[in-house]
Amino acid sequence: MAAEQSDFDVLIVGAGISGIGMAAHMEMMCPGRSYTVVERRENLGGTWDLFRYPGIRSDSDMHTLGFVFEPWKHEKSIADAPAILDYLNRIVDERGIRGKIRYGHKVLAADWRSDEARWHVTAELPDGTTTTLTANFIYLGSGYYDYDDPYDPGFDFGEFEGQVVHPQFWPEDLDYAGKNVVVIGSGATAVTIVPAMAEQAGHVTMLQRTPTWMFSRPAKDRIANVLRKFLPEELAYRITRWKNIKLQDIGYKRARERPEKVKEFLHKRIRKTFGGRDYDVAAFTPPYNPWEQRLCLVPDDDLFEAIKRGKADIKTGRIARFVKGGVELESGEVVPADIVVTATGLKLAIAGKIAVSQDGAPVDFAQRYYYKGCMFSNLPNLAVVFGYLNASWTLRADLNSDYVCRLLNEMKAKGADVAVPVLSEADEAALEEDDIFDFSSGYIQRSKHIMPKNAVGFPWRLNQEYVLDRKRMAEDPVDDGIIAFRRVGANVSAPEEQLEAAE
């Protein structure tokens, strides 16, 4: 049963960081345009509302994970989920966004109708019925991973009699006080959960098949907090944000250019934290170079402090089987466990698993090229956010929101209904493909087959260098000779062959 139809200039999918950022940009840059935000959950926040595991926090500083237009005012720059949700709620209230969010709308399908220059979007409501909304432009702020199905490594829990928990579906009533907990995994989630659970658990073991490079830093940014005392809030925020962007950029490039030096630096930091105490250096030495996967942030040395207190430890090895009282490794060692937490990673999803089609024909994103890390070749009036692998997600979200708003204003100025990045068959055949997802992270490697294409040269790529992207997006004209603009049934500014390709 279909419900009533609604029409908007822009439909924003997702009320997390990406969606809220786009809504805020709409309010600032396109005040005359109508929009709505549809969110499948009953709360805003996306990732920060979904995950409820102990200690959940940002793994990036909030001066870059925060928006360019809204200063981060909390004392801690490595923030927990409640603080991030406070930040997002303040934005939607102060900027008049809250009334434009429709909760309980799970987008199932979106079909572009060329004859109407509109998207027809089907969303499922909490009672199981569907509603159809139409919009001229869709902005997908639906994240990059599967909300319903996390990665399953296929564990057979066999004789294990304890409780098994996945961080993506954390039970509110989980009682782990005084119990032995094994957290399987060595990524950001595991590194967060282990010290947080160690506060109440009897003992927590982080069981890793492969170590991860870790980097410790204070949860509070001393320079940021000093600047806030002497400068206006917005100026202090801009300075701190740019400082952190540059430091991140320098650190990433140094890791790629001089990996041995960065390895030495990271080990030195860990040795200093342990203060001469014995520790297993192999547990902190991955078989890959720094920044071939994301570094795991350890704020205030919390993981290392839990290990020093004897409340936590790290075991490296492969699981042979699960036994009644714990986890048996291939070495024969049994790690005691009352609770097993499977922090084994995410499963990526493209376009929020929405069935996107163009005049009824399914769109295979793996056969489309990214355009400016934002849109896709020959797909009209649709933009997406896929954040940086080597920097904060919001840096890309801000760039894309700003670009799309400028694109919408260009369309309005030209009297155009359609904007499409045109890539002819001949031009596509001449492109050289590039593997920009050259990170060795499991969730990346497992998902390459569904990823859109990337060319070596801009603009047909999802670039991984924010400072350069920021300059390009600001300086390149919206009407760049690649984007074709048209009205339904009328040529606005594009050559005839571009229009044929666009259709």
Side-chain angles (χ1 to χ4, degrees):
M1 177 180 178
E4 64 180 6
Q5 175 174 296
S6 301
D7 294 297
F8 302 94
D9 292 323
V10 179
L11 181 74
I12 301 169
V13 180
I17 283 179
S18 301
I20 290 171
M22 180 58 185
H25 276 82
M26 288 289 296
E27 295 286 342
M28 293 184 292
M29 299 175 65
C30 304
R33 296 290 188 116
S34 63
Y35 74 89
T36 192
V37 183
V38 289
E39 167 56 52
R40 62 178 290 179
R41 300 171 60 76
E42 295 302 325
N43 302 296
L44 61 79
T47 293
W48 306 106
D49 177 67
L50 173 69
F51 286 101
R52 304 293 180 92
Y53 57 76
I56 178 171
R57 54 163 172 79
S58 63
D59 65 347
S60 301
D61 71 279
M62 288 305 301
H63 296 91
T64 58
L65 192 61
F67 297 109
V68 67
F69 56 80
E70 187 73 25
W72 176 255
K73 298 178 180 179
H74 288 259
E75 188 178 23
K76 283 189 174 184
S77 64
I78 307 302
D80 59 22
I84 296 171
L85 290 172
D86 285 346
Y87 176 75
L88 295 175
N89 275 288
R90 174 162 55 85
I91 289 169
V92 301
D93 286 332
E94 292 181 354
R95 295 174 182 264
I97 297 169
R98 190 175 296 277
K100 297 176 182 177
I101 303 176
R102 298 187 177 199
Y103 296 103
H105 281 60
K106 180 181 179 181
V107 177
L108 303 176
D111 181 46
W112 171 257
R113 309 281 175 87
S114 295
D115 58 342
E116 303 173 23
R118 295 189 76 76
W119 288 94
H120 285 243
V121 178
T122 303
E124 183 181 54
L125 303 178
D127 63 2
T129 62
T130 59
T131 184
T132 299
L133 304 96
T134 65
N136 176 247
F137 203 103
I138 288 180
Y139 189 86
L140 295 176
S142 46
Y144 70 112
Y145 61 87
D146 194 322
Y147 268 40
D148 306 301
D149 299 307
Y151 172 62
D152 180 5
F155 290 139
D156 178 358
F157 291 97
E159 301 174 359
F160 183 63
E161 294 181 348
Q163 196 167 357
V164 178
V165 177
H166 193 284
Q168 199 162 321
F169 308 111
W170 199 269
E172 292 183 10
D173 59 351
L174 181 66
D175 179 15
Y176 55 88
K179 296 182 179 179
N180 289 322
V181 180
V182 171
V183 180
I184 303 174
S186 59
T189 302
V191 169
T192 300
I193 288 176
V194 169
M197 294 189 77
E199 295 295 324
Q200 296 182 29
H203 189 81
V204 183
T205 297
M206 188 171 88
L207 177 55
Q208 58 184 16
R209 185 176 62 182
T210 306
T212 297
W213 287 111
M214 299 183 188
F215 174 69
S216 62
R217 57 164 289 183
K220 296 178 182 179
D221 188 320
R222 183 178 60 83
I223 294 175
N225 291 332
V226 169
L227 289 174
R228 291 178 62 205
K229 291 179 180 179
F230 298 102
L231 297 175
E233 192 83 56
E234 290 190 6
L235 178 58
Y237 180 66
R238 286 202 303 271
I239 293 172
T240 304
R241 182 180 172 86
W242 192 244
K243 167 185 72 77
N244 291 353
I245 286 169
K246 292 299 291 183
L247 288 175
Q248 169 65 32
D249 187 50
I250 292 168
Y252 173 75
K253 289 177 178 176
R254 184 173 176 81
R256 286 299 176 107
E257 294 165 1
R258 305 185 69 183
E260 295 304 319
K261 287 288 185 182
V262 175
K263 289 179 185 179
E264 182 182 331
F265 169 74
L266 294 173
H267 276 143
K268 182 178 179 181
R269 292 288 295 264
I270 295 173
R271 284 197 302 271
K272 182 179 178 181
T273 299
F274 279 94
R277 292 168 56 103
D278 290 336
Y279 74 99
D280 181 7
V281 67
F284 302 100
T285 308
Y288 56 84
N289 290 329
W291 276 116
E292 287 181 6
Q293 297 184 20
R294 279 185 74 105
L295 266 63
C296 273
L297 177 64
V298 182
D300 293 332
D301 296 325
D302 58 2
L303 173 64
F304 307 135
E305 292 297 331
I307 293 172
K308 285 165 63 176
R309 296 196 312 270
K311 295 289 290 181
D313 68 344
I314 298 177
K315 300 285 185 183
T316 304
R318 290 181 173 272
I319 296 171
R321 63 193 181 105
F322 290 85
V323 295
K324 183 177 180 179
V327 186
E328 183 177 327
L329 306 183
E330 289 182 350
S331 65
E333 179 182 4
V334 175
V335 184
D338 302 302
I339 299 172
V340 168
V341 179
T342 54
T344 49
L346 305 167
K347 184 165 71 174
L348 262 60
I350 298 299
K353 298 197 300 183
I354 298 166
V356 178
S357 55
Q358 196 170 351
D359 293 318
V363 171
D364 181 358
F365 285 96
Q367 299 305 313
R368 306 275 178 152
Y369 276 88
Y370 269 110
Y371 171 76
K372 292 187 175 180
C374 182
M375 299 178 74
F376 299 99
S377 56
N378 302 324
L379 186 59
N381 293 29
L382 182 141
V384 68
V385 180
F386 191 105
Y388 290 97
L389 298 177
N390 57 5
S392 294
W393 179 274
T394 315
L395 295 176
R396 174 108 59 199
D398 274 330
L399 285 183
N400 287 9
S401 296
D402 177 84
Y403 172 79
V404 170
C405 285
R406 287 188 288 121
L407 178 65
L408 292 169
N409 289 337
E410 187 84 8
M411 291 169 66
K412 184 177 181 180
K414 292 179 180 295
D417 303 306
V418 178
V420 55
V422 175
L423 183 61
S424 69
E425 290 186 8
D427 287 340
E428 181 172 349
L431 291 177
E432 180 184 353
E433 282 197 59
D434 184 24
D435 179 14
I436 62 103
F437 297 107
D438 61 346
F439 278 46
S440 59
S441 308
Y443 72 99
I444 295 292
Q445 294 300 316
R446 290 191 298 267
S447 305
K448 281 191 172 183
H449 65 288
I450 64 172
M451 294 289 193
K453 295 181 179 181
N454 284 275
V456 169
F458 200 77
W460 299 111
R461 66 185 279 112
L462 180 77
N463 207 40
Q464 290 295 324
E465 190 171 358
Y466 169 74
V467 175
L468 181 59
D469 287 348
R470 181 175 179 265
K471 184 175 186 293
R472 281 172 170 162
M473 295 290 258
E475 294 180 356
D476 288 358
V478 172
D479 189 356
D480 60 359
I482 295 174
I483 290 277
F485 297 92
R486 70 177 177 88
R487 290 191 299 271
V488 174
N491 183 355
V492 174
S493 68
E496 190 64 34
E497 62 267 26
Q498 284 188 318
L499 293 176
E500 290 174 0
E503 293 168 353

